[in-house]
Amino acid sequence: MNSNPKVLILTASYGNGHVQVANTMYEQCKKSGIDNVVICDLYSESHPVFSEITQYLYIKSFSIGKQFYRLFYYGVDKMYNKRMMNLYYKIGHKKLHEIILAEKPDIIINTFPMIVVPEYRRKTGTVIPTFNVLTDFCLHKIWVHENIDKYYVATNHVKEKIIQLGIHPSSIKVTGIPIRPQFEKEADKDELYKKYELDPSKKTLLIMAGAHGVLKNVKELCQSFLSNKNLQIIVVCGKNQSLKETLAPLANAYPDQLKALGYVEKVDELFRITSCMITKPGGITLSEASAIGVPVILYKPVPGQEKENAIFFEETGAAVVVNKYEDIYDTVQEVFSNDELLGSMKDNIHKLHLSDSSSTILEDILKEAAGMYSRKEMKGSVNYY
């Protein structure tokens, strides 16, 4: 393998997390002097209609389609070795073959569990060092395959789960989940309080309402919190313009207590001046929260990896999970009135953070791949690119 290898990063647009991790690894490659890097959304490129439909169903799973997603997430486990998995093995095979012939990658990094990639090695005999970067604090079996060369995971908890499936411990490295570098940089909090016109002497509740299905009746919830004069609320509406417009009259009436924002590019700034936030338990959001040490209230997790993430964070004392809308107000009031609980949650979530994950992962991948190519040169019998 040459000193400037060709890296192919494969991902999928089911939620923003997988793509975000792919982009973070791409930027890390560039930062490390690796110029030949390609990101491919394999399913969108190979089966655009199928991908569009399933992405739509994924989004709907946060509201009306929870039973569908529960069936997919937990059902795949049950049919893991059955005939229906054959379809999943094959999806994207033709496109993957085309990409490999065109790009001739030295390394493949997966930020989404695509069995077609390790299956490609089994079927063709073509060995390209292949690595899985897991994007949650739980494990689904479809990440695991005998032809994956190494796994990079968030916690020892996930590592143990992979070991139980028969993977050797040396093939699993606990690195944390790659996040955007701004979450690990220092920032002047006083300047941020001024920028967002917030009072540093008051507690701040951040509501990440832009993501699919995080919270309903946001306006009513904000109205109920306004009675607490020592609490200021920031609602990030993201691309949900209608929600921002709905909140605008209330925000204008209570400018010192409520801020309704659209899409926020530097959301890490808000994390730094937040006492606690309500969000959905996506792996990336939780990783970013842990980097800064933001206690989280996780509302009504969707069955699947988000529910598993929520359970893990609640069990480690880093989060409170709320499953009923009518319990949110009381939970928030309880958390904000208990400084000892807030402090404990802050400490516990920050303990889950592992810094410089993308750098650690890439450095290890390059070392592992170089070792594989070195062994290949000695054996000289396997088809490598």
Side-chain angles (χ1 to χ4, degrees):
M1 188 177 75
N2 61 47
S3 58
N4 192 11
K6 182 67 173 282
V7 179
L8 173 62
I9 302 175
L10 296 175
T11 190
S13 303
Y14 296 91
N16 188 47
H18 304 290
V19 175
Q20 195 167 300
V21 170
N23 290 334
T24 299
M25 290 306 301
Y26 176 91
E27 293 300 330
Q28 185 61 49
C29 286
K30 292 290 188 178
K31 184 179 175 182
S32 302
I34 300 172
D35 300 319
N36 300 316
V37 193
V38 175
I39 295 178
C40 175
D41 187 332
L42 185 62
Y43 294 152
S44 288
E45 292 192 24
S46 60
H47 299 280
V49 175
F50 171 81
S51 180
E52 191 173 329
I53 291 170
T54 51
Q55 285 175 36
Y56 172 79
L57 290 171
Y58 173 80
I59 291 169
K60 286 298 180 185
S61 73
F62 291 98
S63 51
I64 61 173
K66 291 185 180 180
Q67 295 304 323
F68 163 80
Y69 196 71
R70 179 185 283 113
L71 175 65
F72 167 76
Y73 188 86
Y74 297 108
V76 167
D77 255 4
K78 294 177 182 177
M79 64 185 188
Y80 192 60
N81 293 315
K82 296 180 182 179
R83 180 181 290 179
M84 285 183 70
M85 283 304 289
N86 289 337
L87 173 64
Y88 188 65
Y89 285 170
K90 294 174 183 175
I91 294 173
H93 179 88
K94 183 179 178 183
K95 186 65 181 180
L96 178 63
H97 183 62
E98 292 173 3
I99 292 168
I100 287 174
L101 289 179
E103 302 292 345
K104 293 183 170 52
D106 299 300
I107 293 168
I108 295 176
I109 300 173
N110 297 311
T111 68
F112 187 82
M114 287 176 272
I115 295 178
V116 65
V117 182
E119 279 291 294
Y120 182 84
R121 179 189 297 186
R122 187 179 68 81
K123 289 179 178 179
T124 66
T126 301
V127 179
I128 306 169
T130 302
F131 306 92
N132 279 359
V133 179
L134 279 67
T135 55
D136 284 292
F137 290 82
C138 58
L139 175 70
H140 195 287
K141 283 183 180 179
I142 55 177
W143 280 102
V144 180
H145 192 285
E146 62 183 351
N147 288 328
I148 295 297
D149 297 301
K150 199 157 186 178
Y151 302 83
Y152 300 94
V153 302
T155 64
N156 277 309
H157 170 75
V158 179
K159 179 174 180 176
E160 289 302 319
K161 294 287 184 184
I162 299 177
I163 291 171
Q164 288 170 19
L165 294 176
I167 302 300
H168 195 277
S170 64
S171 296
I172 313 157
K173 189 174 179 68
V174 179
T175 59
I177 299 171
I179 56 173
R180 291 170 287 181
Q182 60 260 40
F183 284 87
E184 297 184 298
K185 293 178 180 176
E186 293 297 319
D188 187 333
K189 283 189 179 182
D190 292 334
E191 287 300 315
L192 295 179
Y193 276 112
K194 289 178 185 176
K195 177 178 178 178
Y196 293 99
E197 300 178 328
L198 294 167
D199 185 345
S201 69
K202 294 181 179 180
K203 289 186 173 130
T204 305
L205 172 66
L206 175 62
I207 301 176
M208 299 297 289
H212 301 293
V214 169
L215 204 56
K216 294 180 180 178
N217 305 322
V218 176
K219 183 179 180 181
E220 291 77 5
L221 191 63
C222 289
Q223 283 175 319
S224 66
F225 288 136
L226 290 172
S227 61
N228 185 346
K229 300 301 180 184
N230 292 316
L231 182 64
Q232 47 200 356
I233 307 128
I234 308 171
V235 182
V236 176
C237 304
K239 296 175 183 177
N240 190 339
Q241 186 61 30
S242 62
L243 175 60
K244 188 182 177 187
E245 290 171 1
T246 300
L247 291 172
L250 199 60
N252 292 334
Y254 296 88
D256 295 333
Q257 278 188 273
L258 177 62
K259 313 290 180 186
L261 309 177
Y263 177 76
V264 180
E265 179 65 36
K266 296 182 178 179
V267 74
D268 61 291
E269 294 182 342
L270 297 180
F271 280 31
R272 294 176 195 281
I273 52 176
T274 293
S275 310
C276 186
M277 77 169 162
I278 299 175
T279 186
K280 73 187 189 82
I284 311 309
T285 300
L286 292 173
S287 294
E288 291 172 345
S290 70
I292 293 174
V294 184
V296 289
I297 295 171
L298 305 173
Y299 174 63
K300 213 170 185 178
V302 174
Q305 69 267 30
E306 293 205 349
K307 185 169 184 179
E308 301 300 320
N309 287 340
I311 291 169
F312 175 75
F313 271 70
E314 187 172 49
E315 287 180 346
T316 54
V320 176
V321 178
V322 180
N323 289 305
K324 294 180 181 178
Y325 174 81
E326 53 267 28
D327 293 337
I328 295 175
Y329 178 81
D330 289 341
T331 300
V332 171
Q333 292 292 78
E334 182 183 342
V335 169
F336 275 85
S337 63
N338 188 335
D339 288 340
E340 187 176 338
L341 175 60
L342 259 181
S344 173
M345 289 172 68
K346 185 177 179 68
D347 290 342
N348 289 334
I349 196 167
H350 195 50
K351 286 175 186 175
L352 295 172
H353 175 61
L354 295 173
S355 60
D356 300 317
S357 294
S358 58
S359 174
T360 302
I361 291 169
L362 183 61
E363 186 178 317
D364 195 72
I365 283 174
L366 294 175
K367 184 180 74 174
E368 292 288 334
M372 288 180 67
Y373 281 106
S374 176
R375 290 191 293 274
K376 168 258 174 183
E377 287 170 6
M378 287 189 289
K379 292 180 180 179
S381 59
V382 183
N383 180 21
Y384 281 72
Y385 276 116

